[in-house]
Amino acid sequence: MRPVEGETLGPYVVLERLGAGGMGEVYRARDPRLERDVAIKVLKSDLAPDPDRLRRLELEARATAGLNHPHILTIYDVGTHDGMPFLVFELLEGKSLRKLLADGPLPAAERALELACQLARGVAAAHAVKIVHRDLKPENLFLNEDGILKILDFGLAKLKPRPALAAEAATLDATQPGSFFGTPAYMAPEQLREEAADERADLFAIGAILYEMVTGRNPFRGRSGAETVAAVLQKSPAGLGEAAAALPGLERLILHCLEKDPADRFQTAIDLVFALESLAGQGRPPRSEATTRAGPACEPDRTSPSIAVLPFTDMSPSRDQDYFCDGLAEELIAALTRIAGLRVAARSSSFLFRGPGVDIRAAGAKL
């Protein structure tokens, strides 16, 4: 039975139904002990008898309970009422990114970049404790009334640090052989092939989301699920078009996230954050009061000195020394990372500026 207005779930008084997702329905409720409103996700009644669904709800609670980050939804409580399992979390006022994109791309590429920065920082915090989300998409991203982005729904998260949780999640993933969990348009190729997927799968999803924020369309979505899967596995996304001119380097960054081979993408969320911050720092004009209220700027971290080693160019007559150029840059990066207090751009970030037609001096200014 669905909860109704005035009913209690544990100590919480149900006020109204807010909406529904794939696994549960969400309600506004009141915690009379702390005199605050909260949100409660209740497992759908037709799924409640399913033990695997129950375990996924519990895993979501345990996955996010230890995360304390401004861009990750805060979990308050978990419980069961008359056989009805529920999660209690902070109540958000605003709209999902999906609703925001219903009217088309964001009006300013800079705003898309700011939101991507917030998303990448939240993902980096999850990855720091070995939690891979695996289902990042506009429906699972929420913007509150202050323009702050929150990551929702860790129900499909891959858990690494605690063997018991990781084993339980792996068991759940194996309950439906021949199928995959997630949304194909935002899933990395290795996920669709049901191969081992790590943190870099989340970075692929961030690239797809940023592409959609800038262009108003998903880079891979087809007329059917099968077409979408085929596009993710085989096709390269179209360029950004006019949107690419708004922020030079943005297209290169997005396409780097969307590489088919995870070894060719950014290797960590921190690398991606660094690249986004660097891109955001290019000749940013003064922010208006209205823009400031819309959300925090994605400004580079100025708390510690930083450096980037840009790729060397082979100037030899035969142009056959690329391997030496790459090795020299990598050796310098490795040596610099051993200096305490110095923030060094990862190879995957600085090597975005490798190739013909790239102005190395301008690239240095961007980083």
Side-chain angles (χ1 to χ4, degrees):
M1 297 293 291
R2 287 182 176 179
V4 296
E5 182 178 341
E7 183 178 354
T8 58
L9 298 180
Y12 307 100
V13 181
V14 175
L15 300 178
E16 62 176 321
R17 183 176 181 271
L18 297 177
M23 289 179 57
E25 297 176 331
V26 180
Y27 297 82
R28 179 192 295 267
R30 183 73 174 173
D31 184 348
R33 300 166 301 176
L34 299 177
E35 296 185 349
R36 70 176 175 187
D37 285 357
V38 298
I40 296 184
K41 179 199 282 188
V42 178
L43 201 63
K44 287 183 176 179
S45 57
D46 58 334
L47 300 178
D50 185 342
D52 286 346
R53 299 285 186 174
L54 292 176
R55 286 195 291 169
R56 279 206 177 277
L57 195 71
E58 293 169 358
L59 280 173
E60 179 179 355
R62 285 186 278 174
T64 55
L67 292 174
N68 182 18
H69 193 273
H71 300 306
I72 296 177
L73 184 72
T74 301
I75 298 290
Y76 293 148
D77 197 4
V78 60
T80 303
H81 179 75
D82 290 341
M84 184 184 299
F86 61 85
L87 284 177
V88 183
F89 47 90
E90 63 176 309
L91 180 67
L92 300 177
E93 303 284 356
K95 64 175 64 176
S96 70
L97 181 60
R98 171 58 65 211
K99 288 185 178 179
L100 188 66
L101 294 176
D103 297 328
L106 299 185
E110 290 83 0
R111 178 58 176 151
L113 191 61
E114 290 172 1
L115 293 178
C117 279
Q118 295 183 41
L119 171 57
R121 287 168 179 157
V123 168
H127 290 181
V129 292
K130 305 299 182 185
I131 295 176
V132 184
H133 191 286
R134 298 199 301 174
D135 195 26
L136 294 171
K137 55 187 177 182
E139 289 82 353
N140 285 340
L141 304 176
F142 196 93
L143 275 70
N144 69 17
E145 294 178 334
D146 293 324
I148 305 299
L149 181 143
K150 295 274 188 175
I151 303 172
L152 317 180
D153 201 348
F154 280 76
L156 300 185
K158 182 178 181 181
L159 314 172
K160 290 184 176 181
R162 289 156 287 185
L165 293 186
E168 188 170 357
T171 299
L172 290 174
D173 288 351
T175 56
Q176 298 187 24
S179 64
F180 49 74
F181 295 97
T183 304
Y186 302 93
M187 293 172 68
E190 62 269 24
Q191 288 178 282
L192 295 176
R193 290 193 296 263
E194 300 184 68
E195 299 170 352
D198 58 20
E199 288 87 347
R200 293 169 294 183
D202 282 350
L203 307 187
F204 184 95
I206 294 174
I209 293 166
L210 179 53
Y211 184 105
E212 188 166 349
M213 285 194 289
V214 172
T215 67
R217 63 183 186 277
N218 183 275
F220 302 108
R221 189 178 299 281
R223 291 172 296 180
S224 67
E227 282 191 4
T228 299
V229 170
V232 173
L233 293 176
Q234 302 169 7
K235 295 184 179 180
S236 297
L240 301 184
E242 294 181 2
L247 279 173
L250 178 60
E251 181 172 286
R252 186 187 293 265
L253 182 150
I254 291 175
L255 296 181
H256 191 45
C257 290
L258 296 176
E259 292 284 358
K260 305 298 185 189
D261 187 340
D264 294 333
R265 296 175 208 145
F266 290 99
Q267 295 301 288
T268 70
I270 291 297
D271 289 348
L272 178 54
V273 169
F274 190 93
L276 288 165
E277 289 176 345
S278 300
L279 190 59
Q282 303 178 44
R284 177 186 294 277
R287 290 165 57 81
S288 67
E289 181 182 352
T291 304
T292 303
R293 286 198 302 267
C298 180
E299 299 290 358
D301 181 2
R302 305 296 187 190
T303 59
S304 60
S306 60
I307 191 171
V309 179
L310 296 177
F312 289 87
T313 300
D314 180 10
M315 302 298 291
S316 66
S318 58
R319 295 292 197 271
D320 60 354
Q321 301 296 313
D322 282 345
Y323 70 94
F324 178 77
C325 293
D326 291 353
L328 180 59
E330 290 170 358
E331 286 294 325
L332 284 172
I333 291 172
L336 289 168
T337 56
R338 292 193 285 270
I339 299 176
L342 181 64
R343 191 162 180 246
V344 183
R347 178 187 187 279
S348 57
S349 296
S350 59
F351 272 51
L352 282 172
F353 302 100
R354 176 185 179 186
V358 175
D359 185 337
I360 296 298
R361 293 181 179 85
K366 293 173 186 177
L367 284 171

